[in-house]
Amino acid sequence: MVMGASGGSKIISALAKPIIRVLCFNETIKEAIDAPTLHNQFTPDITQYETAVPKQLLSDLEAYFKQSFKLTSGFEGIAQGIVINDDGQIYANGDFRRKSNQHPEGF
């Protein structure tokens, strides 16, 4: 697996989400990168979320961990990744949240 991201303070959460989802939950690189994103950098202690995050998850985080939430303002950590699966095939995905051209070049 090769992963990279942009987004300043949001790089860590942008990378942690797809890495965990691929390695621990056996998702494809596309499923993992395209999944809804949460971000909390603890200063301020407010969790930013996308509208696609399940409402039950937000309720549980609020009830059990006293999280405060704020809907994300848009451009966040942007991840790209390449995975070579056990079948030897190479799979890649660029984050749909990036609003620029993402077509491969150079080959």
Side-chain angles (χ1 to χ4, degrees):
M1 175 187 295
V2 177
M3 296 290 303
S6 59
S9 64
K10 296 178 177 145
I11 291 173
I12 294 172
S13 55
L15 288 176
K17 176 193 68 163
I19 290 170
I20 290 167
R21 294 179 82 108
V22 168
L23 296 178
C24 298
F25 302 128
N26 204 32
E27 290 186 355
T28 67
I29 191 67
K30 177 154 181 56
E31 292 170 328
I33 289 176
D34 290 354
T37 299
L38 294 167
H39 173 76
N40 185 316
Q41 61 192 51
F42 304 111
T43 306
D45 190 13
I46 297 172
T47 300
Q48 295 179 37
Y49 70 98
E50 294 179 310
T51 57
V53 171
K55 301 303 177 218
Q56 184 62 51
L57 176 59
L58 297 175
S59 295
D60 289 347
L61 290 171
E62 185 175 28
Y64 297 116
F65 301 104
K66 308 299 183 226
Q67 287 294 294
S68 299
F69 296 98
K70 176 176 103 173
L71 190 60
T72 186
S73 59
F75 188 85
E76 301 297 331
I78 302 297
Q80 301 82 37
I82 301 170
V83 172
I84 302 174
N85 282 358
D86 293 336
D87 62 8
Q89 293 292 312
I90 299 171
Y91 299 90
N93 190 49
D95 203 323
F96 70 90
R97 295 165 188 89
R98 184 176 181 99
K99 301 304 180 201
S100 62
N101 183 5
Q102 293 193 59
H103 297 288
E105 296 184 22
F107 291 96

